[in-house]
Amino acid sequence: MRTAAVVPAAGRGERLGPGGPKALRLLAGEPLLVHAVRALGSVVDLVVVAAPPAPGAAEEVDALLRPVVGPARLVVVAGGGTRQESVRLALAVLPAEVTGVLVHDAARPLAPAGLARSVLAALDGGADAVIPALPVTDTVKLVDAAERVVQTVDRSVLRAVQTPQGFRRDVLAQAHGAPGADRLEATDDAGLVERLGLPVLVVPGSEEAFKVTRPLDLALAEAVLAARAGRS
Ligand code: CTP
Ligand code: MG
């Protein structure tokens, strides 16, 4: 299997607060995107990054990543107005020989390389679509429009989903190209595959693959890196 990682990195990071595109915000002195790509470069043959659409950003991102991408090839494209659009723009430049694709958020900088490997292994084992996920630890309630509780949901059947998500290339292309897919605003790629009625396999996620969304997540990421440094 020839593999590529598609990395959507074009978001603004509004929930993180002021300070520029989230993928370029610093974590232990390096942009989130650098951490994310360093882990993937040792696992796949090609990394395609959807950079912030601002003028010059793609060139800046290319220069930033070239020293850290390792043995993988690197291609940087300008991202779009939504995550889904950014993924679509990156998929459009995949060379014909790629048969397996990981899609990984730049906003999950500490997802271990081993997680990407386990997703690829499940693809190799014959799955069409593979997602890493963890059990939900909070109690989850369904509410109505007035914030009144309707019901407590059985959390034993719920999973919190992460990236990297893995797909057979043709399946992912079909999911993103399906009629009306551009109007769905799916928050992950597996959601589009589900719409095709195809099976999506869940594998164990990693606590370190959490998404940096709000300022507290950045503080947690700093602490995880400090703990890793202490262990090595
Ligand atoms: N993303 C993207 N293109 C967009 C929007 C999001 O490539 N137009 C990417 C982000 O860069 C991120 C991933 O999708 O790596 C997950 O999105 P999210 O965590 O929502 O990041 P942001 O959209 O940047 O954050 P916010 O929603 O707080 O603005
Ligand atoms: Mg967003």
Side-chain angles (χ1 to χ4, degrees), residues 97-136:
E97 66 268 21
V98 169
T99 53
V101 182
L102 295 178
V103 183
H104 183 52
D105 292 330
R108 299 181 188 269
L110 302 184
L115 184 63
R117 283 196 199 93
S118 74
V119 171
L120 283 180
L123 273 187
D124 246 339
D128 287 338
V130 183
I131 61 175
L134 291 175
V136 172

PDB file of all heavy atoms in Angstrom, residues 97-136:
ATOM      1  N   GLU A  97      -0.686   6.728  -7.492  1.00  0.00           N
ATOM      2  CA  GLU A  97      -0.236   5.482  -6.856  1.00  0.00           C
ATOM      3  C   GLU A  97      -0.650   5.359  -5.381  1.00  0.00           C
ATOM      4  O   GLU A  97      -0.511   4.300  -4.786  1.00  0.00           O
ATOM      5  CB  GLU A  97       1.281   5.313  -6.984  1.00  0.00           C
ATOM      6  CG  GLU A  97       2.128   6.327  -6.224  1.00  0.00           C
ATOM      7  CD  GLU A  97       2.495   7.537  -7.075  1.00  0.00           C
ATOM      8  OE1 GLU A  97       1.798   7.793  -8.079  1.00  0.00           O
ATOM      9  OE2 GLU A  97       3.464   8.241  -6.722  1.00  0.00           O
ATOM     10  N   VAL A  98      -1.160   6.447  -4.795  1.00  0.00           N
ATOM     11  CA  VAL A  98      -1.562   6.383  -3.376  1.00  0.00           C
ATOM     12  C   VAL A  98      -2.848   5.576  -3.243  1.00  0.00           C
ATOM     13  O   VAL A  98      -3.847   5.857  -3.899  1.00  0.00           O
ATOM     14  CB  VAL A  98      -1.770   7.806  -2.807  1.00  0.00           C
ATOM     15  CG1 VAL A  98      -2.441   7.746  -1.428  1.00  0.00           C
ATOM     16  CG2 VAL A  98      -0.448   8.543  -2.723  1.00  0.00           C
ATOM     17  N   THR A  99      -2.819   4.555  -2.382  1.00  0.00           N
ATOM     18  CA  THR A  99      -4.008   3.707  -2.199  1.00  0.00           C
ATOM     19  C   THR A  99      -4.583   3.805  -0.785  1.00  0.00           C
ATOM     20  O   THR A  99      -5.733   3.423  -0.561  1.00  0.00           O
ATOM     21  CB  THR A  99      -3.678   2.233  -2.496  1.00  0.00           C
ATOM     22  OG1 THR A  99      -2.537   1.853  -1.711  1.00  0.00           O
ATOM     23  CG2 THR A  99      -3.376   2.030  -3.966  1.00  0.00           C
ATOM     24  N   GLY A 100      -3.782   4.306   0.174  1.00  0.00           N
ATOM     25  CA  GLY A 100      -4.265   4.442   1.553  1.00  0.00           C
ATOM     26  C   GLY A 100      -4.021   5.852   2.051  1.00  0.00           C
ATOM     27  O   GLY A 100      -2.932   6.404   1.846  1.00  0.00           O
ATOM     28  N   VAL A 101      -5.030   6.450   2.694  1.00  0.00           N
ATOM     29  CA  VAL A 101      -4.914   7.849   3.130  1.00  0.00           C
ATOM     30  C   VAL A 101      -5.248   7.987   4.616  1.00  0.00           C
ATOM     31  O   VAL A 101      -6.272   7.480   5.079  1.00  0.00           O
ATOM     32  CB  VAL A 101      -5.875   8.756   2.328  1.00  0.00           C
ATOM     33  CG1 VAL A 101      -5.718  10.214   2.753  1.00  0.00           C
ATOM     34  CG2 VAL A 101      -5.626   8.625   0.830  1.00  0.00           C
ATOM     35  N   LEU A 102      -4.376   8.667   5.334  1.00  0.00           N
ATOM     36  CA  LEU A 102      -4.691   9.109   6.687  1.00  0.00           C
ATOM     37  C   LEU A 102      -5.118  10.569   6.606  1.00  0.00           C
ATOM     38  O   LEU A 102      -4.500  11.349   5.877  1.00  0.00           O
ATOM     39  CB  LEU A 102      -3.468   9.027   7.603  1.00  0.00           C
ATOM     40  CG  LEU A 102      -2.870   7.660   7.902  1.00  0.00           C
ATOM     41  CD1 LEU A 102      -1.631   7.816   8.796  1.00  0.00           C
ATOM     42  CD2 LEU A 102      -3.893   6.771   8.590  1.00  0.00           C
ATOM     43  N   VAL A 103      -6.157  10.939   7.342  1.00  0.00           N
ATOM     44  CA  VAL A 103      -6.500  12.361   7.472  1.00  0.00           C
ATOM     45  C   VAL A 103      -6.278  12.725   8.932  1.00  0.00           C
ATOM     46  O   VAL A 103      -6.846  12.097   9.828  1.00  0.00           O
ATOM     47  CB  VAL A 103      -7.960  12.646   7.078  1.00  0.00           C
ATOM     48  CG1 VAL A 103      -8.234  14.146   7.154  1.00  0.00           C
ATOM     49  CG2 VAL A 103      -8.253  12.128   5.667  1.00  0.00           C
ATOM     50  N   HIS A 104      -5.415  13.723   9.156  1.00  0.00           N
ATOM     51  CA  HIS A 104      -5.026  14.045  10.526  1.00  0.00           C
ATOM     52  C   HIS A 104      -5.059  15.554  10.777  1.00  0.00           C
ATOM     53  O   HIS A 104      -4.396  16.334  10.076  1.00  0.00           O
ATOM     54  CB  HIS A 104      -3.630  13.508  10.813  1.00  0.00           C
ATOM     55  CG  HIS A 104      -3.181  13.749  12.231  1.00  0.00           C
ATOM     56  ND1 HIS A 104      -3.933  13.384  13.321  1.00  0.00           N
ATOM     57  CD2 HIS A 104      -2.074  14.334  12.729  1.00  0.00           C
ATOM     58  CE1 HIS A 104      -3.302  13.733  14.432  1.00  0.00           C
ATOM     59  NE2 HIS A 104      -2.181  14.322  14.101  1.00  0.00           N
ATOM     60  N   ASP A 105      -5.777  15.977  11.796  1.00  0.00           N
ATOM     61  CA  ASP A 105      -5.865  17.390  12.160  1.00  0.00           C
ATOM     62  C   ASP A 105      -4.523  17.936  12.660  1.00  0.00           C
ATOM     63  O   ASP A 105      -3.932  17.361  13.587  1.00  0.00           O
ATOM     64  CB  ASP A 105      -6.867  17.587  13.312  1.00  0.00           C
ATOM     65  CG  ASP A 105      -8.287  17.306  12.905  1.00  0.00           C
ATOM     66  OD1 ASP A 105      -8.625  17.506  11.724  1.00  0.00           O
ATOM     67  OD2 ASP A 105      -9.075  16.893  13.790  1.00  0.00           O
ATOM     68  N   ALA A 106      -4.105  19.066  12.109  1.00  0.00           N
ATOM     69  CA  ALA A 106      -2.936  19.760  12.662  1.00  0.00           C
ATOM     70  C   ALA A 106      -3.177  20.112  14.126  1.00  0.00           C
ATOM     71  O   ALA A 106      -2.237  20.249  14.913  1.00  0.00           O
ATOM     72  CB  ALA A 106      -2.668  21.028  11.865  1.00  0.00           C
ATOM     73  N   ALA A 107      -4.445  20.233  14.498  1.00  0.00           N
ATOM     74  CA  ALA A 107      -4.808  20.619  15.859  1.00  0.00           C
ATOM     75  C   ALA A 107      -4.661  19.470  16.865  1.00  0.00           C
ATOM     76  O   ALA A 107      -4.990  19.633  18.039  1.00  0.00           O
ATOM     77  CB  ALA A 107      -6.243  21.144  15.870  1.00  0.00           C
ATOM     78  N   ARG A 108      -4.169  18.317  16.404  1.00  0.00           N
ATOM     79  CA  ARG A 108      -3.878  17.195  17.322  1.00  0.00           C
ATOM     80  C   ARG A 108      -2.372  16.927  17.254  1.00  0.00           C
ATOM     81  O   ARG A 108      -1.916  15.916  16.715  1.00  0.00           O
ATOM     82  CB  ARG A 108      -4.670  15.944  16.931  1.00  0.00           C
ATOM     83  CG  ARG A 108      -6.174  16.159  16.998  1.00  0.00           C
ATOM     84  CD  ARG A 108      -6.929  14.884  16.632  1.00  0.00           C
ATOM     85  NE  ARG A 108      -8.335  15.138  16.527  1.00  0.00           N
ATOM     86  CZ  ARG A 108      -9.209  15.029  17.537  1.00  0.00           C
ATOM     87  NH1 ARG A 108      -8.790  14.638  18.734  1.00  0.00           N
ATOM     88  NH2 ARG A 108     -10.473  15.296  17.362  1.00  0.00           N
ATOM     89  N   PRO A 109      -1.565  17.850  17.805  1.00  0.00           N
ATOM     90  CA  PRO A 109      -0.121  17.818  17.575  1.00  0.00           C
ATOM     91  C   PRO A 109       0.589  16.649  18.243  1.00  0.00           C
ATOM     92  O   PRO A 109       1.686  16.295  17.828  1.00  0.00           O
ATOM     93  CB  PRO A 109       0.364  19.149  18.176  1.00  0.00           C
ATOM     94  CG  PRO A 109      -0.654  19.466  19.222  1.00  0.00           C
ATOM     95  CD  PRO A 109      -1.959  18.988  18.654  1.00  0.00           C
ATOM     96  N   LEU A 110      -0.016  16.052  19.256  1.00  0.00           N
ATOM     97  CA  LEU A 110       0.713  15.044  20.033  1.00  0.00           C
ATOM     98  C   LEU A 110       0.237  13.621  19.764  1.00  0.00           C
ATOM     99  O   LEU A 110       0.620  12.702  20.484  1.00  0.00           O
ATOM    100  CB  LEU A 110       0.624  15.370  21.537  1.00  0.00           C
ATOM    101  CG  LEU A 110       1.164  16.760  21.909  1.00  0.00           C
ATOM    102  CD1 LEU A 110       1.138  16.954  23.424  1.00  0.00           C
ATOM    103  CD2 LEU A 110       2.577  16.957  21.373  1.00  0.00           C
ATOM    104  N   ALA A 111      -0.560  13.423  18.734  1.00  0.00           N
ATOM    105  CA  ALA A 111      -0.968  12.060  18.365  1.00  0.00           C
ATOM    106  C   ALA A 111       0.290  11.251  18.061  1.00  0.00           C
ATOM    107  O   ALA A 111       1.087  11.643  17.208  1.00  0.00           O
ATOM    108  CB  ALA A 111      -1.893  12.107  17.152  1.00  0.00           C
ATOM    109  N   PRO A 112       0.519  10.140  18.745  1.00  0.00           N
ATOM    110  CA  PRO A 112       1.770   9.405  18.558  1.00  0.00           C
ATOM    111  C   PRO A 112       1.845   8.726  17.187  1.00  0.00           C
ATOM    112  O   PRO A 112       0.821   8.344  16.621  1.00  0.00           O
ATOM    113  CB  PRO A 112       1.720   8.330  19.658  1.00  0.00           C
ATOM    114  CG  PRO A 112       0.576   8.680  20.546  1.00  0.00           C
ATOM    115  CD  PRO A 112      -0.355   9.542  19.762  1.00  0.00           C
ATOM    116  N   ALA A 113       3.068   8.559  16.669  1.00  0.00           N
ATOM    117  CA  ALA A 113       3.261   7.854  15.399  1.00  0.00           C
ATOM    118  C   ALA A 113       2.654   6.451  15.467  1.00  0.00           C
ATOM    119  O   ALA A 113       2.121   5.942  14.484  1.00  0.00           O
ATOM    120  CB  ALA A 113       4.746   7.782  15.063  1.00  0.00           C
ATOM    121  N   GLY A 114       2.719   5.838  16.643  1.00  0.00           N
ATOM    122  CA  GLY A 114       2.174   4.487  16.799  1.00  0.00           C
ATOM    123  C   GLY A 114       0.674   4.428  16.546  1.00  0.00           C
ATOM    124  O   GLY A 114       0.158   3.389  16.097  1.00  0.00           O
ATOM    125  N   LEU A 115      -0.029   5.509  16.814  1.00  0.00           N
ATOM    126  CA  LEU A 115      -1.474   5.534  16.547  1.00  0.00           C
ATOM    127  C   LEU A 115      -1.707   5.513  15.029  1.00  0.00           C
ATOM    128  O   LEU A 115      -2.562   4.761  14.532  1.00  0.00           O
ATOM    129  CB  LEU A 115      -2.106   6.778  17.176  1.00  0.00           C
ATOM    130  CG  LEU A 115      -3.625   6.883  17.052  1.00  0.00           C
ATOM    131  CD1 LEU A 115      -4.317   5.738  17.791  1.00  0.00           C
ATOM    132  CD2 LEU A 115      -4.127   8.230  17.579  1.00  0.00           C
ATOM    133  N   ALA A 116      -0.937   6.313  14.296  1.00  0.00           N
ATOM    134  CA  ALA A 116      -1.047   6.313  12.830  1.00  0.00           C
ATOM    135  C   ALA A 116      -0.723   4.927  12.280  1.00  0.00           C
ATOM    136  O   ALA A 116      -1.394   4.432  11.367  1.00  0.00           O
ATOM    137  CB  ALA A 116      -0.102   7.359  12.238  1.00  0.00           C
ATOM    138  N   ARG A 117       0.293   4.287  12.866  1.00  0.00           N
ATOM    139  CA  ARG A 117       0.660   2.937  12.395  1.00  0.00           C
ATOM    140  C   ARG A 117      -0.459   1.946  12.650  1.00  0.00           C
ATOM    141  O   ARG A 117      -0.733   1.081  11.819  1.00  0.00           O
ATOM    142  CB  ARG A 117       1.940   2.460  13.091  1.00  0.00           C
ATOM    143  CG  ARG A 117       3.175   3.091  12.528  1.00  0.00           C
ATOM    144  CD  ARG A 117       4.468   2.348  12.926  1.00  0.00           C
ATOM    145  NE  ARG A 117       5.592   3.245  12.724  1.00  0.00           N
ATOM    146  CZ  ARG A 117       6.100   4.023  13.677  1.00  0.00           C
ATOM    147  NH1 ARG A 117       5.629   3.956  14.914  1.00  0.00           N
ATOM    148  NH2 ARG A 117       7.079   4.854  13.402  1.00  0.00           N
ATOM    149  N   SER A 118      -1.122   2.056  13.787  1.00  0.00           N
ATOM    150  CA  SER A 118      -2.180   1.076  14.081  1.00  0.00           C
ATOM    151  C   SER A 118      -3.398   1.293  13.173  1.00  0.00           C
ATOM    152  O   SER A 118      -4.066   0.338  12.780  1.00  0.00           O
ATOM    153  CB  SER A 118      -2.558   1.093  15.569  1.00  0.00           C
ATOM    154  OG  SER A 118      -3.311   2.229  15.875  1.00  0.00           O
ATOM    155  N   VAL A 119      -3.657   2.536  12.805  1.00  0.00           N
ATOM    156  CA  VAL A 119      -4.759   2.806  11.856  1.00  0.00           C
ATOM    157  C   VAL A 119      -4.405   2.236  10.481  1.00  0.00           C
ATOM    158  O   VAL A 119      -5.226   1.575   9.833  1.00  0.00           O
ATOM    159  CB  VAL A 119      -5.037   4.326  11.777  1.00  0.00           C
ATOM    160  CG1 VAL A 119      -6.000   4.656  10.648  1.00  0.00           C
ATOM    161  CG2 VAL A 119      -5.602   4.821  13.111  1.00  0.00           C
ATOM    162  N   LEU A 120      -3.156   2.438  10.047  1.00  0.00           N
ATOM    163  CA  LEU A 120      -2.725   1.886   8.751  1.00  0.00           C
ATOM    164  C   LEU A 120      -2.760   0.356   8.772  1.00  0.00           C
ATOM    165  O   LEU A 120      -3.116  -0.277   7.769  1.00  0.00           O
ATOM    166  CB  LEU A 120      -1.306   2.356   8.411  1.00  0.00           C
ATOM    167  CG  LEU A 120      -1.174   3.789   7.909  1.00  0.00           C
ATOM    168  CD1 LEU A 120       0.296   4.102   7.613  1.00  0.00           C
ATOM    169  CD2 LEU A 120      -2.008   4.022   6.652  1.00  0.00           C
ATOM    170  N   ALA A 121      -2.412  -0.230   9.911  1.00  0.00           N
ATOM    171  CA  ALA A 121      -2.424  -1.698  10.003  1.00  0.00           C
ATOM    172  C   ALA A 121      -3.840  -2.234   9.827  1.00  0.00           C
ATOM    173  O   ALA A 121      -4.053  -3.257   9.171  1.00  0.00           O
ATOM    174  CB  ALA A 121      -1.843  -2.140  11.351  1.00  0.00           C
ATOM    175  N   ALA A 122      -4.827  -1.533  10.374  1.00  0.00           N
ATOM    176  CA  ALA A 122      -6.217  -1.969  10.214  1.00  0.00           C
ATOM    177  C   ALA A 122      -6.670  -1.827   8.756  1.00  0.00           C
ATOM    178  O   ALA A 122      -7.427  -2.650   8.245  1.00  0.00           O
ATOM    179  CB  ALA A 122      -7.130  -1.167  11.143  1.00  0.00           C
ATOM    180  N   LEU A 123      -6.178  -0.777   8.079  1.00  0.00           N
ATOM    181  CA  LEU A 123      -6.472  -0.620   6.644  1.00  0.00           C
ATOM    182  C   LEU A 123      -5.859  -1.771   5.846  1.00  0.00           C
ATOM    183  O   LEU A 123      -6.506  -2.357   4.974  1.00  0.00           O
ATOM    184  CB  LEU A 123      -5.863   0.679   6.112  1.00  0.00           C
ATOM    185  CG  LEU A 123      -6.628   1.985   6.204  1.00  0.00           C
ATOM    186  CD1 LEU A 123      -5.857   3.042   5.446  1.00  0.00           C
ATOM    187  CD2 LEU A 123      -8.044   1.855   5.687  1.00  0.00           C
ATOM    188  N   ASP A 124      -4.609  -2.071   6.200  1.00  0.00           N
ATOM    189  CA  ASP A 124      -3.904  -3.181   5.550  1.00  0.00           C
ATOM    190  C   ASP A 124      -4.651  -4.493   5.751  1.00  0.00           C
ATOM    191  O   ASP A 124      -4.629  -5.370   4.895  1.00  0.00           O
ATOM    192  CB  ASP A 124      -2.494  -3.312   6.157  1.00  0.00           C
ATOM    193  CG  ASP A 124      -1.413  -3.007   5.161  1.00  0.00           C
ATOM    194  OD1 ASP A 124      -1.699  -3.082   3.946  1.00  0.00           O
ATOM    195  OD2 ASP A 124      -0.291  -2.705   5.598  1.00  0.00           O
ATOM    196  N   GLY A 125      -5.300  -4.594   6.902  1.00  0.00           N
ATOM    197  CA  GLY A 125      -6.061  -5.802   7.227  1.00  0.00           C
ATOM    198  C   GLY A 125      -7.378  -5.897   6.464  1.00  0.00           C
ATOM    199  O   GLY A 125      -8.129  -6.855   6.664  1.00  0.00           O
ATOM    200  N   GLY A 126      -7.699  -4.887   5.639  1.00  0.00           N
ATOM    201  CA  GLY A 126      -8.865  -4.996   4.770  1.00  0.00           C
ATOM    202  C   GLY A 126      -9.998  -4.021   5.058  1.00  0.00           C
ATOM    203  O   GLY A 126     -11.002  -4.038   4.342  1.00  0.00           O
ATOM    204  N   ALA A 127      -9.851  -3.178   6.094  1.00  0.00           N
ATOM    205  CA  ALA A 127     -10.934  -2.221   6.390  1.00  0.00           C
ATOM    206  C   ALA A 127     -10.981  -1.118   5.330  1.00  0.00           C
ATOM    207  O   ALA A 127      -9.958  -0.730   4.774  1.00  0.00           O
ATOM    208  CB  ALA A 127     -10.728  -1.604   7.770  1.00  0.00           C
ATOM    209  N   ASP A 128     -12.181  -0.599   5.056  1.00  0.00           N
ATOM    210  CA  ASP A 128     -12.362   0.534   4.135  1.00  0.00           C
ATOM    211  C   ASP A 128     -12.077   1.857   4.827  1.00  0.00           C
ATOM    212  O   ASP A 128     -11.609   2.816   4.213  1.00  0.00           O
ATOM    213  CB  ASP A 128     -13.821   0.602   3.654  1.00  0.00           C
ATOM    214  CG  ASP A 128     -14.149  -0.492   2.671  1.00  0.00           C
ATOM    215  OD1 ASP A 128     -13.231  -1.028   2.043  1.00  0.00           O
ATOM    216  OD2 ASP A 128     -15.354  -0.811   2.538  1.00  0.00           O
ATOM    217  N   ALA A 129     -12.459   1.926   6.118  1.00  0.00           N
ATOM    218  CA  ALA A 129     -12.360   3.169   6.881  1.00  0.00           C
ATOM    219  C   ALA A 129     -12.101   2.813   8.343  1.00  0.00           C
ATOM    220  O   ALA A 129     -12.744   1.913   8.883  1.00  0.00           O
ATOM    221  CB  ALA A 129     -13.654   3.970   6.757  1.00  0.00           C
ATOM    222  N   VAL A 130     -11.158   3.519   8.956  1.00  0.00           N
ATOM    223  CA  VAL A 130     -10.727   3.193  10.320  1.00  0.00           C
ATOM    224  C   VAL A 130     -10.631   4.476  11.133  1.00  0.00           C
ATOM    225  O   VAL A 130     -10.013   5.447  10.679  1.00  0.00           O
ATOM    226  CB  VAL A 130      -9.335   2.522  10.313  1.00  0.00           C
ATOM    227  CG1 VAL A 130      -8.931   2.120  11.718  1.00  0.00           C
ATOM    228  CG2 VAL A 130      -9.314   1.316   9.372  1.00  0.00           C
ATOM    229  N   ILE A 131     -11.236   4.488  12.319  1.00  0.00           N
ATOM    230  CA  ILE A 131     -11.129   5.675  13.163  1.00  0.00           C
ATOM    231  C   ILE A 131     -10.670   5.290  14.577  1.00  0.00           C
ATOM    232  O   ILE A 131     -11.133   4.300  15.135  1.00  0.00           O
ATOM    233  CB  ILE A 131     -12.469   6.442  13.257  1.00  0.00           C
ATOM    234  CG1 ILE A 131     -13.566   5.566  13.870  1.00  0.00           C
ATOM    235  CG2 ILE A 131     -12.898   6.945  11.891  1.00  0.00           C
ATOM    236  CD1 ILE A 131     -14.864   6.313  14.100  1.00  0.00           C
ATOM    237  N   PRO A 132      -9.729   6.062  15.145  1.00  0.00           N
ATOM    238  CA  PRO A 132      -9.350   5.835  16.534  1.00  0.00           C
ATOM    239  C   PRO A 132     -10.341   6.549  17.453  1.00  0.00           C
ATOM    240  O   PRO A 132     -10.764   7.676  17.154  1.00  0.00           O
ATOM    241  CB  PRO A 132      -7.955   6.465  16.633  1.00  0.00           C
ATOM    242  CG  PRO A 132      -7.887   7.488  15.553  1.00  0.00           C
ATOM    243  CD  PRO A 132      -8.943   7.155  14.525  1.00  0.00           C
ATOM    244  N   ALA A 133     -10.702   5.912  18.539  1.00  0.00           N
ATOM    245  CA  ALA A 133     -11.683   6.524  19.441  1.00  0.00           C
ATOM    246  C   ALA A 133     -11.481   6.025  20.855  1.00  0.00           C
ATOM    247  O   ALA A 133     -10.913   4.950  21.082  1.00  0.00           O
ATOM    248  CB  ALA A 133     -13.096   6.201  18.961  1.00  0.00           C
ATOM    249  N   LEU A 134     -11.947   6.832  21.813  1.00  0.00           N
ATOM    250  CA  LEU A 134     -11.863   6.486  23.238  1.00  0.00           C
ATOM    251  C   LEU A 134     -13.263   6.464  23.834  1.00  0.00           C
ATOM    252  O   LEU A 134     -14.162   7.172  23.347  1.00  0.00           O
ATOM    253  CB  LEU A 134     -11.027   7.534  23.981  1.00  0.00           C
ATOM    254  CG  LEU A 134      -9.536   7.573  23.675  1.00  0.00           C
ATOM    255  CD1 LEU A 134      -8.887   8.749  24.409  1.00  0.00           C
ATOM    256  CD2 LEU A 134      -8.864   6.254  24.061  1.00  0.00           C
ATOM    257  N   PRO A 135     -13.437   5.670  24.905  1.00  0.00           N
ATOM    258  CA  PRO A 135     -14.717   5.733  25.613  1.00  0.00           C
ATOM    259  C   PRO A 135     -14.950   7.151  26.138  1.00  0.00           C
ATOM    260  O   PRO A 135     -14.006   7.893  26.403  1.00  0.00           O
ATOM    261  CB  PRO A 135     -14.513   4.765  26.787  1.00  0.00           C
ATOM    262  CG  PRO A 135     -13.352   3.915  26.407  1.00  0.00           C
ATOM    263  CD  PRO A 135     -12.492   4.735  25.513  1.00  0.00           C
ATOM    264  N   VAL A 136     -16.220   7.525  26.286  1.00  0.00           N
ATOM    265  CA  VAL A 136     -16.572   8.842  26.826  1.00  0.00           C
ATOM    266  C   VAL A 136     -16.555   8.747  28.350  1.00  0.00           C
ATOM    267  O   VAL A 136     -17.100   7.798  28.919  1.00  0.00           O
ATOM    268  CB  VAL A 136     -17.972   9.251  26.311  1.00  0.00           C
ATOM    269  CG1 VAL A 136     -18.462  10.509  26.993  1.00  0.00           C
ATOM    270  CG2 VAL A 136     -17.920   9.443  24.800  1.00  0.00           C
TER     271      VAL A 136
END
